Amino acid sequence: MTRAPDQTNSGGGCGSCANYFTSAKFLLYLGHALSTWGDRMWHFAVAVFLVELYGNSLLLTAVYGLVVAGSVLLLGAIIGDWVDKNSRLRVAQTSLIVQNSSVILCGIILMIVFLFKTQLLTLYYGWLLTLCYILVITIANIANLASTATTITIQRDWIVVVAGEDRGKLADMNATIRRIDQLTNILAPMAVGQIMTFGSPVIGCGFISGWNLFSVFLEYLLLWKVYQKTPALALKATSKIEESELKQLNVQKDSELKPTEGVQLIGEKDVTVFEPKQEKGISCSARIAEPFITFRDGWVAYYNQPVFLAGMGLAFLYMTVLGFDCITTGYAYTQGLSGSMLSLLMGASAITGIMGTVAFTWLRRKCGLVCTGLISGIAQLACLVLCVISVFMPGSPLDLTVSPFADIRTRLLEGQPLPTIHPADASEMSFTTEMHNWLNKSSSVNDVEMSSDSVPLISVSLLFAGVIAARVGLWSFDLTVTQLLQENVIESERGIINGVQNSMNYLLDLLHFIMVILAPNPEAFGLLVLISVSFVAMGHIMYFQFARKTLGKRLFACCAPDSKAVSNNSPPCNSSTV
């Protein structure tokens, strides 16, 4: 891999600042911040709009969530394959234009529906309005798929090339990107929420459409500037032979890297590489079968990756109710926590999430990338012990004598609709707008309003203490696996492997929402907590197996508190080849 040119120099303070603010790294941050801000606003607003349109029902929101999750699950590998087979600039520009254009079109359709809903309801027996709902969900799903392509190409490929061979720089850039995600995940929904509260849904739609129309040009310009400032982005390995030659040229350089710079696993296994297919002589049936073959080969290639267990370990962390999504916060509301208290807890979770990014960069420098994942996993599991304890403390509604499916049977017998929940964004594992929908639903269903005086807060306090504290280990572990994938998946198949990784994340996230739909009553929430902790533990066990295979007998020497292996003079734990 060709190292990106360094954009900083040793000149004066003003010159250094000017060079930094015009560097490819900063421009990449700025473009990501704009893209993420618009993305978070849209994800917040679309669910609220769908609830508003369908008479305060979560039906459309749930349908949208299932369509999004199912689409990424089925098309993740195909999207990644498309990323691999095309030039970086073309992929980034196409996905950016498709994403923003889809959001703008969705906003316009929603504005029309809000303004003329009564008239649309009377036309063609309401089928025209139903068609509008289908169009909104379909186009919003296209926007999400384009967002997935953008995430793969920018956060999993461009950032690696911009960082060059400096793995420390790559770790810092990953951490900064994640901090931007954390901040925009809180601030963007707050901003658009205020506009919708003091304005109207129509004004909210217009604002989001206008923002995307404005930002698409600026993001396009920033991408072009980053591409110009990083000549290595124009060079892309498209075959295994070509990339093998590049790796041979870098063998000596890799062996001279400092021991704390990570672990290089490329070459440990023979992995499937997807070379561009020749267009000559391809029959119609072959063209039809190509997406299915790509889907199959993508999952096979993912399984054959040396970091397969690490990726699976990260995916298993999505099978949990212990996050700031609509489920956990809705449960907290039924236990007596107010909306203002929940907002404070959200802020605390954002702070600990940022602390996790800081901990990642520090731990990676001190004891290496693989051991950082081990330490982060242990820290997360230690904090989640508080959540397990909370299940058995005073105030916990856990009652194993109440069937988890009692609510389903009751609703089926009474002819009431099942409560539906919108799956959260899998790429982010954080608070989304559906919390408000869940809270509103909970408050309208309960006959007796819950208060802090009627329910002891010991259980729910321990629950959130564990969830918030575990964010440090969670985000540090997430960054560890992200960088392992960046460093150890060969360039010619980064797209398809990360596409399959996104599919795995969505699959486990979808399963956790199905689990909640099957057991929605508060008496079963404690059981869901125990299941969630079990899945998190299984994920970290998978990572431990990956680390054991990677480091072998040197693993314990690396992570032992009294070991000298963490010093820069001792290479056993972090040598560049295994």
Side-chain angles (χ1 to χ4, degrees), residues 112 154 162 171 284 331 370 394 419 467 482 507 517 526 536 542 545 548:
I112 294 173
I154 300 299
V162 171
C284 181
Y331 167 78
V370 175
V467 171
T482 296
L507 175 61
I517 290 174
V536 172
M542 290 180 184
Q545 291 296 322
R548 184 180 63 82

Side-chain angles (χ1 to χ4, degrees), residues 459-475:
S459 176
V460 72
S461 299
L462 283 174
L463 176 70
F464 275 92
V467 171
I468 292 172
R471 309 292 280 187
V472 178
L474 170 65
W475 288 112

Side-chain angles (χ1 to χ4, degrees), residues 125-348:
Y125 303 99
W127 283 105
L128 187 58
L129 182 61
T130 302
L131 177 62
C132 290
Y133 292 155
I134 295 173
L135 281 175
V136 167
I137 292 175
T138 303
I139 298 172
N141 183 48
I142 293 173
N144 184 74
L145 293 174
S147 176
T148 301
T150 302
T151 300
I152 293 173
T153 189
I154 300 299
Q155 296 187 39
R156 302 296 186 266
D157 187 27
W158 281 46
I159 190 174
V160 180
V161 179
V162 171
E165 296 174 0
D166 189 342
R167 291 171 179 168
K169 182 178 179 181
L170 177 60
D172 292 337
M173 291 184 69
N174 282 328
T176 302
I177 290 290
R178 201 52 50 88
R179 289 171 196 141
I180 293 172
D181 290 341
Q182 290 285 317
L183 291 175
T184 55
N185 208 34
I186 299 297
L187 298 178
M190 289 175 59
V192 73
Q194 294 300 314
I195 293 172
M196 293 167 60
T197 300
F198 294 101
S200 67
V202 175
I203 295 176
C205 292
F207 177 78
I208 293 174
S209 296
W211 172 272
N212 282 271
L213 183 61
F214 164 77
S215 67
V216 65
F217 296 104
L218 187 55
E219 291 176 52
Y220 192 97
L221 177 63
L222 290 171
L223 283 174
W224 174 249
K225 296 296 291 184
V226 172
Y227 189 80
Q228 282 186 320
K229 289 177 176 291
T230 314
L233 287 171
L235 306 174
K236 189 173 184 180
T238 57
S239 67
K240 187 171 184 179
I241 296 176
E242 180 180 340
E243 195 156 356
S244 297
E245 293 174 353
L246 291 175
K247 286 194 290 180
Q248 288 296 326
L249 294 174
N250 289 326
V251 167
Q252 185 174 359
K253 291 182 180 180
D254 287 342
S255 62
E256 294 172 358
L257 288 174
K258 291 190 297 183
T260 56
E261 289 298 311
V263 177
Q264 187 72 14
L265 303 177
I266 293 177
E268 180 179 289
K269 283 189 178 183
D270 291 330
V271 292
T272 306
V273 178
F274 296 84
E275 302 181 7
K277 297 183 182 298
Q278 300 296 327
E279 295 295 328
K280 296 183 296 183
I282 298 180
S283 63
C284 181
S285 59
R287 291 181 183 276
I288 295 174
E290 184 176 356
F292 301 98
I293 295 173
T294 301
F295 177 83
R296 181 203 64 191
D297 290 347
W299 285 86
V300 171
Y302 178 73
Y303 173 77
N304 288 329
Q305 291 297 313
V307 290
F308 165 71
L309 286 175
M312 284 294 295
L314 176 63
F316 265 61
L317 268 57
Y318 282 76
M319 179 66 176
T320 178
V321 297
L322 301 174
F324 276 88
D325 56 10
C326 54
I327 296 171
T328 308
T329 48
Y331 167 78
Y333 184 82
T334 66
Q335 297 304 295
L337 294 186
S338 64
S340 61
M341 177 59 68
L342 287 173
S343 65
L344 292 176
L345 294 175
M346 284 171 49

Side-chain angles (χ1 to χ4, degrees), residues 311-323 325 327-328 380-381 384 424 426 429 474 503-519 527-540 542:
M312 284 294 295
L314 176 63
F316 265 61
L317 268 57
Y318 282 76
M319 179 66 176
T320 178
V321 297
L322 301 174
D325 56 10
I327 296 171
T328 308
Q380 184 185 7
L381 287 173
L384 291 182
M429 291 188 294
L474 170 65
S503 297
M504 281 300 307
N505 296 345
Y506 266 93
L507 175 61
L508 272 297
D509 188 59
L510 185 62
L511 289 178
H512 112 263
F513 276 99
I514 292 175
M515 176 180 69
V516 176
I517 290 174
L518 292 176
L527 187 60
L528 301 184
V529 169
L530 299 179
I531 295 174
S532 299
V533 174
S534 299
F535 270 86
V536 172
M538 283 190 286
H540 288 302
M542 290 180 184

Side-chain angles (χ1 to χ4, degrees), residues 112-113 116-123 126-129 132:
I112 294 173
V113 172
F116 304 104
K117 183 178 179 181
T118 304
Q119 293 87 332
L120 291 172
L121 192 60
T122 59
L123 292 175
W127 283 105
L128 187 58
L129 182 61
C132 290

